[in-house]
Each structure stands twice: as C-alpha cells, then as structure tokens.
Amino acid sequence: MSVLAFTENWDGKFKKISFELVSYAHQLAAQMNTNAVVVSIGNVPEEELKKLGHYGASKIVRVEDNRISGLINKAFTAIIAQVAEKEGADVVVFSHNFTGKALAPRVAVRLRAGMASGVNALPDSLDPFVVKKGVFTGKAIGHITIKSAKKVLTLFPNSVEAIEADENAVIETFTPQLSDAHFATKVLEVKKVTDKVLLTDAEVVVSGGRGMKGADKWAPLEELAGLLGAAIACTRPVSDEGWRPHGEHVGQTGKIVAPNVYLAFGISGAIQHLGGISASKHIIAVNTDKDAPIFEAAEYGIVGDVQQVLPKLIEAVREAKKQ
Amino acid sequence: MKILICLSNVPDTTTKIKFTGDNTQFDAAGVQWIINPWDELALTRALEIKETSGTTIEKVTVLTVGKADTEPTLRKALAIGADDAVRIDAEPKDAYQVAAQITGFVKEQPYDIILCGIESSDYNGSTVGGMLAEFLDSPSVSSVSGLFLENGQIRLNREIDGGQEVLETMIPFVAIVQKGIAKEPRIPSMRGIMMARSKPLTVKPAVAADELTGFTAFELPPPHAKCKMIDAENVGELVKVFRNELKII
Ligand SMILES: Cc1cc2nc3c(=O)[nH]c(=O)nc-3n(C[C@H](O)[C@H](O)[C@H](O)COP(=O)(O)OP(=O)(O)OC[C@H]3O[C@@H](n4cnc5c(N)ncnc54)[C@H](O)[C@@H]3O)c2cc1C
Ligand SMILES: Nc1ncnc2c1ncn2[C@@H]1O[C@H](COP(=O)(O)O)[C@@H](O)[C@H]1O
C-alpha cells in the first residue's frame, strides 16, 4: 500500500506546486496509515530530489531515460503505471496543471482507477472514498465518490498548503520497460517565455480588462506588477483585440489561475472571467462603475478611474517598500 | 483521413446553477444546452483543415455519448458543417464509462485524428480525452492550441507552463484541444441548418462499461462577504492591506 505522487520538474527544479502535491500525498498517506512515494522523471539533481523529503515523501523513485525530452504522454504514462504497480500504490496524485491533466487520465485507465480531477481538499471520508472538487467552473462544489479499489486524483493548485514534514527520503533509481512505440510523438521545438513570473505559478496577479482603454495604456500596470513581483493577466476581449498576448487571457476559455491575490483593473467581472479566478484567495477590484459585478466577487474595491488610481497606487507601494 | 470530434453537451455558460433532490442532482429545468466551447472550437478547426487540404480529409464526424435529448446539439454540429453524427445511447455518468463507450465505437470504425476538448464546462473533468487515448493505446497530445496538416504530416502546438512546444505525431492520435485551436467558433448558416436535416445521425447502442465514480452531493459556495470599499483618493489604505493583511509587500 502507498500513495504515489508524480512531481513534474522544470529544468531539473521543482516548484511550489510540486511541494504542495507531496504534502497532500503525505497527509493522505497518513490518513490511510501508509507512506507517500514520489516518482520523478528526467534529470533532477540529488539535492533537489531531497527537498521532496522535507514535505513528507518517504521514498523518491527517480527515472531517467535518455529518450525522454519534453513530455511524451505515452512514455510517461507507462513509467508512472509501472512505478505505481511496483510500489503497490492505491492512490496516485498529480497536479491539476497542463502536465497532470495530460497524464492522470491515461494512468487511471492503466490502473483501472476511478479519477477525480481538480480536487481541493483531503477526502471527506476514505471508505467510501469521497473528495471535493469545484464544478461548473467555480460556480459550485461537488462531492465525488470513487468506487474502484485504485484511485487517481489531480490536485488544484494553491488549494492546500505545503506543510513541512521531515522524512528522510530514500532515493532509488528505477529502469522502466519502454519500447519505441512509447515515443510516437516528438517535441520539435520549445518556445519558452523567460524572465517573467509565470501566470499559473504566480502568488500575485495583476490583471486588466477593457477598462484599460487600449494597447498602449499598460505601462503602469506592468510597473505595478514589477513592484509586486506579480504576473500579468487580462480578459478575453483584451487578448482578442490584440492589446495583450493570448497567453495572458484568464477565464473559462483561457487560463485558470488561483493566486493568493488577484488585482482586477477595469474588468467588469463577467461570469466567464470569474470562472478563471474564483479560486483566488483575495480579489481586489478597481472600476469606475460601482455596480460592476466584479465587486460582488471582490474583497476590497476602489470605485475610480484606473488611469488615476494606478499611478497613485504605484507611488504608494513604492513608498511602502522603502520602509 | 477521417476526423472524429467528441462533443459533450453542457449547460450554457451563463446558466444559474441549482441543485435538486437534497443537493444530490443538478437541476436541469429551463437549462439551455450547448456544445462544450472547446469542442466547438475543435470542430471549427477540423472543418478549416478539411477545406484547405484538398481531398485529404474524407469526412468530419461528431460524436456524443448521451440520451436522445442531446440530439439538438449534434444537429447544431451538423449545421456548422460536420458530415455526419453519431450518438451512443448511454447516459454519461463518469469519464471512464464515457471513454469506454467512445472506444467501443472507434474500435469498430477507426479514425485518424480524434479531437476532444480540454474539459467539459459542467463537471470540469479534463479526463475523457486522455482516457480514450489510453484505451485505444494511441499517442495523445494535450493542451493543444494549434493543429496543422502539411503534406500529410501533423504538426501541433502545445501550451506548457511558461511557453509553447511544437510537436509532431504519428497517426492515429488523440489531440486534447484548448483555446487557440481556432479563433472563433463557427456559427451555423441558414443553408447549413437546412442541410443538417438530411445529414446522417446514427444512434449506436451502448456497450458494457463500468462507472468508477459518481457525484453524491453538491453545494453552492458560501455567499460572498460584502466588498470593503476604499476611497479612490486614499489608495494608501489599500497598500496597508497589501502589507498587513495580505503580506505581499
Ligand atoms: C463562451 C464564452 C466564453 C468566454 N470566456 C471568457 C474568458 O475566458 N475570459 C474572459 O475574460 N471573458 C470571457 N468571455 C467574455 C465575457 O463574457 C466578457 O465579455 C469579458 O470578460 C468582458 O471583459 P472586460 O471586463 O475586459 O470588458 P467589459 O465587460 O467591457 O468591462 C470593462 C469594465 O471596465 C470598466 N471601466 C471602463 N473604463 C474604466 C476606467 N477608466 N477605469 C476603471 N474601470 C473602467 C467598466 O465599468 C467595465 O466594468 C467569454 C464569453 C463567452 C460567451
Ligand atoms: N458525453 C460525452 N460524449 C462525447 N464526448 C465527451 C463526453 N463527455 C466528454 N467528452 C469529451 O471529452 C472532453 C473532456 O471532457 P471531460 O473529461 O468531461 O471534462 C470534452 O471536451 C469532449 O471532447
């Protein structure tokens, strides 16, 4: 018996989302009276792997194969399923990000496991196994029961804390059985966005809507984001108009974000936009219209013109940072 | 080549969500049903590829697993331009069961390119596409934001955390698509609606498939606390919140 977590790495490094996942696996394993095991695929230095132990992993299974470059769903699925079998995993957990969404359903079929995706808490109960997840894009919460013996979960980012729990993790190397058929897709090129805070990773997101009034009006918003170490986001019409790149579009049809703080400037708060931000811990809105729906989702609000509020806010943040 | 698009039938995105039966069931009364937004984009892209690649694409089929009440959604897809439609006659309960139903059909009638959406906007599963690929033992590429067919070769763009990748894949394969795959969903033309009436919509019996999960209860999020207003002339108050409460500076 065990709980297995798949931790993705970025150029050999883990991120907060990886530690959250290991911590979740550890707490779940404790409820089940068993241990949390981690599987890591690709080149990760030993001291980086050790960090997973600080969040409760008792064993780390490292898999390296020189054919692996980038995410190849079939190969990764086979590896994770083989490790799950070897470790007798009852529950396999992934992060609910691009990679987790790609792999978890495939692994679930391999293990004949029922799957609950985007869960945001530890199970309500283990027998029956019931766990909570957001449904209708944040408009409601569902309690889903998994009836199969094996289970696969994906954990919604930022929904649990990464709690330190010192386990002296043993690191073990595993050689998977893979054939050429596992490598039917090939990554030809990677275009990275560098030296910017990643939207889906950010603690603070500064976002603008049509109320920003044009493609050339974003300098203050960028400046504020810089001061707060925040990522920049926007609404759909803003990216459709080409004011901002598509990668910044947040909402039901764009990215789903769950930062600690989401600052909305000139955003009306349409239901489709809220769908992508409702898991944020704190929402703050600036809008000229006191009746804008965004204020119903926000915790703090300022009724005002972004072009006047932003410079003042930048000034005040700058002053506060000096102290 | 043949393209299959899996469509899920979902409540319009502006639907007010309510539950019945002591919060155990979604209240479908008065709900307007639509093609899941990503599936609609997938269909649009499939039709664009068909139109721009000569005779390479023989047909574009749409498929849904659902009871007879999902047929208007399939007819809409036909009106948008799909060549034929398939309905597998089963109530969708769980991703594993739905993926198994689609697998039964595809094993009987193979397709070269299968498109699924990244998630259904109702239960936000993000599950069926990946499960289908594994049942079929096909390669899959997910978070696909671009799909191109050039000289019989498939190219895909995939979104990753912090960038984008360009991939190639063998055929057959499953692409799980998201925003960017097509610009705007196509809307049915008058002529499309007329033609849809005579296009084939085949109903297939369900195959035996297990349900491994089920929703047992729902709740609505707690009502939101009232927004605390700060005067526009006094943004310093907000900065205090940043520092003392939110601890972001
Ligand atoms: C199927 C579907 C999916 C969709 N998916 C998404 C999605 O994923 N993400 C998304 O964002 N939208 C999505 N939309 C669009 C959504 O319905 C809204 O149209 C959109 O979110 C509105 O964007 P906005 O707030 O920037 O613009 P508007 O609604 O035009 O709001 C602008 C706001 O700025 C305020 N304002 C104006 N001037 C100023 C000023 N000087 N200072 C301060 N405030 C000012 C106005 O009072 C207004 O509230 C979707 C729509 C559909 C139908
Ligand atoms: N009942 C269904 N019939 C056909 N395709 C479906 C069905 N449910 C989900 N899908 C497909 O799987 C994708 C992801 O759905 P889900 O896993 O339910 O979030 C959808 O975008 C569809 O392409």
Side-chain angles (χ1 to χ4, degrees):
Chain A
M1 237 176 62
S2 67
V3 174
L4 180 68
F6 166 71
T7 49
E8 177 178 9
N9 70 80
W10 288 263
D11 300 323
K13 281 209 159 29
F14 295 118
K15 288 189 185 163
K16 182 170 155 253
I17 191 173
S18 328
F19 303 125
E20 279 172 9
L21 184 72
V22 174
S23 178
Y24 182 86
H26 172 71
Q27 293 172 64
L28 177 59
Q31 281 189 356
M32 294 168 60
N33 273 319
T34 179
N35 292 322
V37 180
V38 167
V39 51
S40 164
I41 302 176
N43 254 314
V44 181
E46 188 129 339
E47 67 269 28
E48 188 70 14
L49 287 173
K50 283 267 180 206
K51 286 186 191 165
L52 302 175
H54 302 320
Y55 293 93
S58 58
K59 189 202 277 189
I60 292 149
V61 180
R62 160 179 40 196
V63 181
E64 286 169 13
D65 184 312
N66 53 22
R67 286 172 291 184
I68 292 168
S69 74
L71 174 66
I72 305 294
N73 290 348
K74 258 188 109 166
F76 275 55
T77 300
I79 294 170
I80 297 165
Q82 286 169 24
V83 174
E85 248 155 67
K86 180 176 87 73
E87 296 296 327
D90 305 290
V91 185
V92 186
V93 297
F94 296 82
S95 298
H96 193 65
N97 64 352
F98 288 133
T99 305
K101 287 183 212 176
L103 298 175
R106 297 201 68 139
V107 171
V109 165
R110 263 305 166 90
L111 304 177
R112 201 185 171 280
M115 176 168 150
S117 59
V119 305
N120 53 22
L122 286 164
D124 304 346
S125 69
L126 290 176
D127 190 17
F129 193 98
V130 183
V131 63
K132 267 198 302 195
K133 64 162 295 192
V135 292
F136 297 99
T137 322
K139 286 192 256 181
I141 298 154
H143 298 256
I144 185 168
T145 304
I146 306 182
K147 302 172 213 168
S148 50
K150 297 210 164 36
K151 288 137 190 115
V152 167
L153 310 176
T154 63
L155 177 66
F156 205 88
N158 263 332
S159 55
V160 300
E161 302 253 334
I163 301 169
E164 297 205 13
D166 244 326
E167 287 274 348
N168 216 341
V170 292
I171 300 178
E172 187 183 287
T173 302
F174 175 73
T175 309
Q177 300 295 312
L178 296 174
S179 70
D180 287 346
H182 288 112
F183 294 91
T185 54
K186 201 158 85 202
V187 178
L188 303 175
E189 195 188 331
V190 184
K191 302 174 194 165
K192 285 238 166 90
V193 189
T194 43
D195 60 71
K196 259 205 260 164
V197 187
L198 287 188
L199 186 49
T200 44
D201 222 32
E203 277 290 291
V204 182
V205 173
V206 172
S207 184
R210 215 146 42 183
M212 293 298 294
K213 294 278 156 63
D216 55 342
K217 304 268 186 340
W218 289 72
L221 206 137
E222 285 176 348
E223 193 177 350
L224 181 65
L227 283 169
L228 297 175
I232 297 179
C234 67
T235 61
R236 182 163 102 171
V238 165
S239 68
D240 283 352
E241 296 280 341
W243 297 359
R244 296 297 303 178
H246 278 286
E248 291 180 2
H249 157 197
V250 159
Q252 185 173 10
T253 46
K255 291 208 169 84
I256 294 187
V257 297
N260 183 17
V261 181
Y262 186 87
L263 288 140
F265 292 93
I267 294 177
S268 60
I271 190 86
Q272 295 92 351
H273 187 74
L274 297 181
I277 67 167
S278 59
S280 309
K281 293 237 166 65
H282 308 279
I283 296 174
I284 297 165
V286 178
N287 195 307
T288 41
D289 175 8
K290 69 172 181 18
D291 296 320
I294 189 76
F295 289 125
E296 280 158 41
E299 186 177 338
Y300 289 96
I302 294 179
V303 176
D305 185 331
V306 287
Q307 302 196 39
Q308 280 150 28
V309 172
L310 266 171
K312 285 186 200 156
L313 191 56
I314 289 166
E315 202 37 50
V317 169
R318 212 183 284 271
E319 277 305 308
K321 283 186 79 167
K322 281 191 199 144
Q323 290 159 25
Chain B
M1 274 192 238
K2 292 187 192 139
I3 307 183
L4 179 71
I5 298 124
C6 301
L7 301 183
S8 67
N9 181 52
V10 296
D12 180 85
T13 47
T14 56
T15 305
K16 190 156 167 39
I17 302 302
K18 287 177 293 182
F19 301 98
T20 57
D22 213 10
N23 283 337
T24 56
Q25 236 138 36
F26 171 62
D27 184 357
V31 168
Q32 192 63 33
W33 296 89
I34 60 165
I35 305 174
N36 188 37
W38 295 274
D39 308 349
E40 198 177 25
L41 290 175
L43 171 60
T44 302
R45 184 62 193 148
L47 295 172
E48 288 168 3
I49 292 174
K50 187 181 173 204
E51 288 157 7
T52 54
S53 62
T55 52
T56 320
I57 307 295
E58 280 162 63
K59 72 167 174 178
V60 173
T61 303
V62 289
L63 172 150
T64 197
V65 178
K67 301 305 278 183
D69 58 353
T70 62
E71 286 191 6
T73 297
L74 286 174
R75 285 278 172 219
K76 181 172 175 206
L78 291 172
I80 291 171
D83 298 303
D84 65 341
V86 175
R87 177 170 72 80
I88 302 177
D89 191 28
E91 183 78 50
K93 290 265 173 73
D94 155 56
Y96 191 89
Q97 166 238 4
V98 169
Q101 294 297 346
I102 304 173
T103 304
F105 171 76
V106 176
K107 286 214 162 139
E108 209 177 273
Q109 242 170 278
Y111 281 81
D112 307 283
I113 302 177
I114 301 181
L115 303 179
C116 287
I118 184 116
E119 67 170 36
S120 298
S121 61
D122 49 6
Y123 299 105
N124 309 129
S126 301
T127 314
V128 170
M131 285 193 165
L132 174 63
E134 189 63 28
F135 273 127
L136 294 171
D137 198 25
S138 283
S140 62
V141 181
S142 32
S143 344
V144 171
S145 58
L147 173 64
F148 310 93
L149 178 64
E150 284 152 16
N151 312 321
Q153 273 286 97
I154 301 287
R155 283 284 172 103
L156 302 121
N157 297 339
R158 165 169 74 202
E159 296 301 307
I160 54 172
D161 285 320
Q164 202 185 58
E165 287 177 354
V166 183
L167 293 95
E168 66 181 14
T169 181
M170 288 180 187
I171 291 168
F173 72 100
V174 178
I176 296 150
V177 312
Q178 63 158 36
K179 187 206 169 197
I181 183 79
K183 276 220 170 72
E184 285 282 329
R186 260 189 210 185
I187 45 173
S189 63
M190 212 44 224
R191 194 176 121 82
I193 295 168
M194 298 294 287
M195 280 172 52
R197 290 193 195 139
S198 54
K199 286 181 180 171
L201 190 164
T202 317
V203 180
K204 294 265 174 192
V207 297
D210 293 330
E211 287 158 25
L212 304 184
T213 65
F215 281 97
T216 31
F218 296 96
E219 58 193 273
L220 292 173
H224 206 274
K226 214 170 146 43
C227 184
K228 291 168 238 171
M229 287 300 181
I230 291 170
D231 192 79
E233 296 304 319
N234 202 0
V235 294
E237 283 303 305
L238 184 57
V239 176
K240 278 190 198 144
V241 172
F242 284 176
R243 164 148 288 170
N244 302 330
E245 221 175 293
L246 308 177
K247 310 207 183 326
I248 57 172
I249 50 172

